[in-house]
Amino acid sequence: MHIVLDRRPDGGVTATELDAAAMPHGTAAVEASDLAEFVRSREPEHPRWVWSSAARWYPALLAAGVRVERCVDLALCRRILRTSLLTADSELAHEPATGWDDLARIATAAAETPGAPTLFEVGESAPAAALDPVREFQAQQAAAIGATQPAPLRLLLAAESAGALIAEEIRFTGMPWRADVHDRVLTEALGPRAPDGRHPARLEALAAKIRELLDAPRLNPDSQPELLAALRRVGLDVTSTRKWELRELEHPVIEPLLEYKNLYRLFTANGWAWLDTWVHDGRFRPDYVVGGVVTGRWATSGGGALQLPKNIRRAVVADPGWKLVVADAAQLEPRVLTGLASDVNMADAGRGRDLYDSVVAAGVVASRREAKVAMLGAMYGATTGDSARLMPALRRAFPQAIGLVDRAAEQGERGDQVMSRLGRTSPRPGGAWREVQDRASQPGASAADERRARSQARDWGRFTRNFVVQASAAEWALCWMAELRLRLAELGSDLVTAPHLVFFLHDEIMVHTPERFAPQVERLVRDAAAQAGRLLFGTFPVDFPLQVATVDTYADAK
DNA sequence: GTTTACGGCGCG
DNA sequence: AAAGCGCGCCGTAAAC
């Protein structure tokens, strides 16, 4: 059963119940102040709540202590359906852009554009009929049912919508974060916090030393051009100030300079200013953007939750009497590729053991490092170095899997779109791309035109090569998390007192749980991973082993 | 003065 | 060693 929620101009809500054919068979007018109670009262019937976006509707419900099991996030689902090759013939895909597309674009924009309408403003002023969620849901249903392969697409829509709920729940509960521990980490590394955001003592001392060693008393080491010039002035033949280039040089300034860069990064990206901005009441609240990446990965908008450096993970500490269950999927992308290609050889290699070790044991390459580099190269489209050199051996050993990514690359080079396992579709290359290709195929094309077109085609081919794997891996992760969320809810539905997800990072999840539930949570995490594999790849025997750790602090998870 | 691009580096 | 994919964020410098 579906219940569609729509905001009326007077601020109240219309709830429309739909039958299996998505036809309305009853509406209720609900005052805004009664909405949470209304949702709570209907939730035992396990409806799927249909709303413009979870980001818009769900926070207020969570704040009122109400969780929902399932939803349809129309903004996110529209974006998928409007661009999927599986629904390319649908009316939905062909209709002109509407306010729903604005909503979808804003919902999945990683950064807010100043002055642009926010998610909460779009549609508020438009005529109600323009953004009728019942009609929109019916149009989406029609597109999904008429899809070339409805089943995977419907799974994708459900998973994406579950992701939207999870993102809001994580934002609501937050990730446990000990500001005092974070401050200790910073103080140990940088010296005590200086007033007014000024550089702390250690950073200043290192800067002074660098100026002295480079004989540049006015040098600002944060300025790349100034630093580059100063390095060249003392006879160092560098073309950049990147740390891996600096590391190769022999000069007394290199050591303090590398240390300075390291500490400077900590200070600016995750220093006291970050702590003040993003951590409140013992919680870090990541600003996830579901579907923010074209491949379906999540992005973030502010807070940098997807880039938490290892050195501050000590500050992520479970509450007293609680634990963190941290799990990550081992070699997720190659295993997803295995399933995509139904590559039995690769599935055998990955079964019950480290995939890369097996590739070595099979005599394909000489070391685990080479196996990893070769596999990543296959999925990223390496053209040079060790990785490219190892590709032929890998292709011989796993023709099915490598053939799949090679074909995806060829499609991209031609300008064709490619699809993930469940039907998420890569964007079309832009107009400029087509122009360059067209020009190169004209009779009068110069060698330079052809070179440029070729190089650009290869660039896009590397993108589509990676897209099929990365997008399908993102789907596996969404399914994993959605399955886990439902299983965790059986241990207790209250987000504050029961085990709940607090972090997600592409192939890694973290559950904050009362200590006594930790063993059960570990089991559920594994069950959910197995189920995600079945949802994506049916009975094909590809394993998705996890590294699971129950810890007090995130730093101990790996 | 304000916005955009770039270099650099963190994460998967 | 740091390429081959996907990101966000910082500060500075360049462009407007």
Side-chain angles (χ1 to χ4, degrees):
Chain A
M1 190 230 315
H2 292 83
I3 305 176
V4 186
L5 297 182
D6 188 17
R7 186 88 55 195
R8 295 196 312 262
D10 66 5
V13 172
T14 304
T16 307
E17 206 170 310
L18 303 182
D19 63 20
M23 294 309 290
H25 68 93
T27 66
V30 183
E31 292 306 312
S33 54
D34 300 334
L35 180 63
E37 200 41 52
F38 173 76
V39 171
R40 192 202 308 273
S41 72
R42 301 300 302 269
E43 190 58 19
E45 301 163 55
H46 306 285
R48 202 175 268 282
W49 298 94
V50 180
W51 48 36
S52 55
S53 87
R56 202 176 195 176
W57 286 86
Y58 200 25
L61 296 178
L62 288 169
V66 177
R67 285 182 82 189
V68 305
E69 186 181 316
R70 310 188 299 167
C71 82
V72 173
D73 186 303
L74 290 171
L76 293 176
C77 292
R78 181 177 177 93
R79 169 153 269 204
I80 291 170
L81 290 166
R82 289 267 274 173
T83 55
S84 176
L85 288 175
L86 296 179
T87 46
D89 297 331
S90 66
E91 276 183 46
L92 189 76
H94 288 103
E95 74 176 29
T98 71
W100 286 105
D101 296 290
D102 298 334
L103 195 64
R105 197 178 53 252
I106 292 161
T108 55
E112 285 159 44
T113 319
T118 66
L119 186 56
F120 302 92
E121 288 160 359
V122 168
E124 295 294 351
S125 56
L131 287 181
D132 178 351
V134 173
R135 274 180 34 195
E136 174 63 15
F137 178 66
Q138 289 168 335
Q140 292 193 10
Q141 284 284 97
I145 289 165
T148 324
Q149 298 169 62
L153 198 57
R154 294 172 72 96
L155 175 57
L156 174 56
L157 299 178
E160 187 89 334
S161 296
L165 295 177
I166 291 166
E168 293 311 321
E169 290 176 355
I170 292 178
R171 195 201 313 277
F172 175 73
T173 58
M175 185 183 194
W177 198 284
R178 286 272 299 272
D180 58 325
V181 176
H182 189 148
D183 177 69
R184 202 157 65 233
V185 171
L186 294 176
T187 303
E188 279 168 15
L190 297 163
R193 181 177 193 172
D196 308 320
R198 287 207 298 277
H199 288 191
R202 280 241 24 212
L203 216 44
E204 277 308 307
L206 282 165
K209 198 166 175 186
I210 291 162
R211 289 189 196 100
E212 186 192 318
L213 288 165
L214 289 176
D215 194 23
R218 301 182 54 81
L219 171 71
N220 172 10
D222 308 337
S223 162
Q224 193 265 356
E226 279 186 43
L227 182 59
L228 187 61
L231 290 169
R232 296 185 66 90
R233 224 165 17 239
V234 296
L236 292 168
D237 184 27
V238 280
T239 57
S240 80
T241 61
R242 287 193 282 264
K243 66 178 177 187
W244 50 86
E245 190 172 349
L246 299 180
R247 212 152 40 197
E248 299 311 301
L249 303 173
E250 288 282 343
H251 191 281
V253 80
I254 299 302
E255 193 197 325
L257 182 54
L258 289 176
E259 191 180 356
Y260 178 86
K261 286 167 87 72
N262 184 8
L263 294 180
Y264 180 69
R265 166 85 194 180
L266 174 63
F267 174 67
T268 56
N270 294 100
W272 290 280
W274 182 90
L275 195 50
D276 287 348
T277 308
W278 293 103
V279 177
H280 297 106
D281 307 318
R283 292 292 185 267
F284 167 50
R285 296 190 152 72
D287 216 342
Y288 285 120
V289 183
V290 177
V293 180
V294 282
T295 57
R297 276 188 174 181
W298 290 11
T300 54
S301 161
L306 305 183
Q307 309 144 245
L308 293 178
K310 299 232 156 77
N311 54 4
I312 60 161
R313 294 184 181 184
R314 273 165 58 194
V316 183
V317 181
D319 288 350
W322 288 58
K323 290 282 182 185
L324 301 171
V325 176
V326 182
D328 76 274
Q331 303 114 31
L332 176 59
E333 293 194 345
R335 291 172 190 279
V336 164
L337 174 57
T338 303
L340 287 174
S342 303
D343 190 317
V344 177
N345 288 345
M346 200 177 267
D348 286 345
R351 188 155 314 114
R353 55 185 299 188
D354 183 279
L355 175 60
Y356 300 138
D357 286 342
S358 305
V359 172
V360 176
V364 180
V365 296
S367 66
R368 187 180 186 280
R369 186 199 65 87
E370 284 190 340
K372 182 174 180 177
V373 164
M375 200 69 84
L376 292 176
M379 293 182 299
Y380 293 167
T383 55
T384 59
D386 283 358
S387 180
R389 187 171 54 71
L390 295 164
M391 281 295 294
L394 203 63
R395 193 172 277 118
R396 273 196 303 280
F398 307 110
Q400 300 262 109
I402 308 303
L404 186 135
V405 282
D406 284 348
R407 274 196 303 284
E410 288 161 16
Q411 288 173 288
E413 289 183 21
R414 286 199 301 270
D416 291 345
Q417 292 171 282
V418 297
M419 265 197 300
S420 68
R421 180 66 169 186
L422 299 182
R424 198 185 299 265
T425 299
S426 67
R428 260 186 274 274
W433 191 94
R434 302 253 176 219
E435 277 173 36
V436 169
Q437 299 302 318
D438 290 346
R439 195 175 318 137
S441 60
Q442 302 282 316
S446 70
D449 287 338
E450 283 171 15
R451 242 190 343 267
R452 194 149 78 94
R454 194 71 211 122
S455 145
Q456 187 199 255
R458 285 191 197 281
D459 289 348
W460 197 257
R462 283 196 303 278
F463 166 61
T464 52
R465 171 192 291 272
N466 185 249
F467 182 96
V468 293
V469 179
Q470 191 184 116
S472 302
E475 288 164 352
W476 182 91
L478 272 181
C479 289
W480 179 34
M481 205 160 41
E483 288 288 337
L484 175 59
R485 174 178 179 268
L486 293 182
R487 286 166 166 77
L488 288 177
E490 289 166 16
L491 299 177
S493 59
D494 187 322
L495 268 182
V496 180
T497 57
H500 54 271
L501 281 154
V502 291
F503 191 57
F504 170 53
L505 181 55
H506 307 318
D507 62 356
E508 180 177 343
I509 53 103
M510 183 188 295
V511 175
H512 195 208
T513 178
E515 195 165 355
R516 69 181 185 285
F517 286 128
Q520 281 165 277
V521 170
E522 284 206 15
R523 201 164 54 245
L524 296 180
V525 165
R526 293 185 191 282
D527 291 349
Q531 179 61 13
R534 285 191 290 273
L535 283 172
L536 257 69
F537 302 115
T539 56
F540 183 78
V542 53
D543 279 358
F544 290 95
L546 305 177
Q547 282 197 328
V548 187
T550 295
V551 293
D552 291 310
T553 165
Y554 190 17
D556 292 342
K558 276 187 191 165

